Amino acid sequence: MKQSYSQVRCFLLSLFVLLSLSLAGCWSSNEIEEVSLGVGLAFDKGMESKVERELREKGGGYPKKDLITTTFQIINPQASGAGTRGGGAAQQKPYLNVSETGDSVHQIVREFSLRTDRPFVSQHLKVIVFGEDLVRRISLEPLTDQMLRDNQIRPSSLILISKGRASETLETKKGGEVPAFRLHGIVDNQYRSTRIMPPMSLAKLEGKIQSGSSFMLQNVIAANREIKFAGAAVIKGRTNKLIGFLNETELEGIMWITGKGSKGGVVKSFDKQTEQLIVYEIKSMKSKITPRVNGSNISFDVNIESEGRLSEDWVESGDPFDNEFLKRAEKAAEEEVNRLVHHVTKKMQNEYITDVAGFGNQLRIEHPKLWEKVKADWDQIFSKVPIKYNVKLTITDYGTLGSKK
Amino acid sequence: MIARPEERITTPQAAVIVINYILGVTFLTLPRVTVEAVKTPDVWITVILGGLITMIAGVIMVKLSQRYPEKTFYQYSQEIAGKWVGGLLSLFTIIYFFSSSAYDARMLVEVTSYFLLEGTPSWALLMPFMWVGLYLIMGGINPIARLYEIIFPITLVIFTLVFFISFQIFEVDNLRPVLGLGVAPVLQGTKSTVLAYTGVEIMLIILAFMKQPNKAVQAVLIGTAVPMLFYVMTVVIVIGALSIDGVITRTWPTIDLIRSLEITGLLFERFESFFLVIWIMQIFSTFTITYYAAALGLAQLFQKDIHRCMFYLLPVIYIIAMTPKNINDLFTFADLVGDTALYLFGLLPLILLIVSRLKEGKHEAKL
């Protein structure tokens, strides 16, 4: 009996020792300080960087076509750690950008492991920016293939297009700022502007690519290491390639048509009588696209309704206490919205011959059988379809400033 | 032989066993599989339809089992169809059960090794999983039922949480129009949704363990209705977020849904680990109940000790699990197992029920 007791003790002791060994770590663990945390990716038309050329001249390289240049934005752990302590390392940027050229998205990432001791980890990727030149040439479908297959890259990553080099949007002047986070953060400003599209994540992009319908992606431009969200890129559904851009006001027009713009945006218009400035702040925006089908004729009625506030008024005689004046202000704003939507409709129908405002989607919902017939060349049909707009804006209040002397 | 008092389960326990058995692998692939078959956003109607059909099949199985109180399918199938035919049917059922348990084990390896533990060898994932499963089923039906009672509420809470969060990327337009292309596409997908509910067949076996076998119909109805609710919510939200065009290309659409959102300011930003944890628990329950059913079948068919049968099955399941060479082989294997289930539990219980009624009629006539 005693012996068996000591046997048990021996067993427990060896178990203790063996199990302690497993505490040392997980099977395929990677220490967080020893990986490169990627937060942003930019894809551009292939253009070898200076370092790459020198490396190649010294014999580094493999058979490839220089189709794509990928720029990785990596968090620099030393600098960002020191930055929070407010130490002397403020000069150091909290991020690093590394470029690599090649023809396969995945191979480019792997090639990166030959150049640094910290392998690239993309589980915390926030933003993917595609350069205009690349997406004009190569369809988004092959470009996103690897990312949609991957188990690390999250389908929640935000997709943007850059008119110009995409890698430039991953630069900043400010000391402690990480450009990828800034891009990601601007999307949250939707409550302040109607010129920011609802975010398009990688997962949603896949649906758009597969659907064969044309769509838009937010465009971001860079100048002198500063960036701005500037309108949208138009992606043709059949080819999934970029065919052009809509500028800021055109995007605003689209947002009015779709009713997707959120409150907080403004409409700047001019009073008819005095030619003075009046600003309408949007409190709500609603839009209903109604397809009308008559035989083989398709037409659309769009009803846009909005409530808002008179938020700036340069008209000297303007008295918001007077309903007459409010009506005048409403009228001016309505005209401006009408101008916006008509302008962008013309551009979609005549210049791009592409429907990116979701008219086709409404037709699909209301007349699914007809849609099955027309969806193959919807963009063509759309370009000839009559569209009637009906804009109704209501000013409900005018803030804390009433009449003027 | 199984009437030991501690081997009894209550009606809610029976329902929970059915729920946990049904919810399993299909959870992750259901939106894709059904959209492939239906091709319109009406998938959720198909899912409800599949559930209703399964309920009918479940009630038939219960009615059959209720005619032979205290006996499992393995025992009464020989009474109905004779020693040889009945034995053969039991053998098929046993093979079905351990094949599907092998399939679950392999699926667990595939998903965890891609999303959670990349680099861990498959045997290292599979062996502990199987050993723990063995340990559980050695205790008999009662510990199994009690464990499932613990797992189920956890699943419910996390599932609901995750899906409410997913509403932020939900777009109702992706689910419209309803019945836009008529009823035909909806009916086309019924087979694939019925397969998602395989699991009610466990009533053929656990009815013998129930304290109140007369309430088995309730158990099977609730046991199917709850997964139906889960499934409808899954397809509605996954398709609402990713659209049918986006779902159809994804291998694991439900995981993608959860990976495609991030919540700031809710303590956790990402929820796929939680979701995969409840999924693994569900896989574990599917794995253990099928393993147990197979072992019980062997024990009753060949009059052997059930613990021995469990140990015999362990390597068999492992080898079957490791046989499919790639993920397509695995899906083909799943289709095979699913088709077997359709014939074995969709058609057969009805035939057996009729035969058993006729026999009884004859018997009475003779008297």
Side-chain angles (χ1 to χ4, degrees), chain A residues 296-312:
Chain A
S296 61
N297 291 329
I298 303 168
S299 65
F300 288 96
D301 284 355
V302 184
N303 267 311
I304 298 168
E305 274 179 42
S306 163
E307 282 192 353
R309 173 182 298 143
L310 182 72
S311 65
E312 196 175 345

Side-chain angles (χ1 to χ4, degrees), chain A residues 27-28 123-124 126 148-156 203-204 206-207 210-211 361-362 364-365 368 372, chain B residues 114 118-119 121 124 169 171 173 176-177 180-181 241-243 245-246 249-250 258-262 270 272:
Chain A
W27 197 293
S28 33
Q123 268 143 345
H124 294 270
K126 296 276 184 226
L148 282 162
R149 238 175 251 287
D150 200 59
N151 57 353
Q152 280 196 348
I153 292 185
R154 287 178 60 83
S156 62
K204 296 227 172 202
E206 166 74 348
Q210 296 299 332
S211 73
N361 196 35
Q362 286 305 316
R364 176 184 69 81
I365 289 166
E372 288 299 311
Chain B
Y114 197 63
E118 202 180 10
I169 54 168
E171 284 174 50
D173 271 2
R176 296 168 69 197
L181 297 176
L242 304 179
S243 83
D245 299 306
T249 57
R250 311 301 295 165
I258 294 149
R259 289 173 76 215
S260 60
L261 44 93
E262 270 176 26
R270 302 169 172 197
E272 63 258 36

Side-chain angles (χ1 to χ4, degrees), chain B residues 63-80:
Chain B
K63 288 288 170 209
L64 176 67
S65 289
Q66 277 173 342
R67 296 178 68 85
Y68 301 93
E70 308 270 302
K71 281 185 181 165
T72 67
F73 176 75
Y74 306 115
Q75 292 162 322
Y76 64 70
S77 64
Q78 293 187 350
E79 269 182 41
I80 300 172

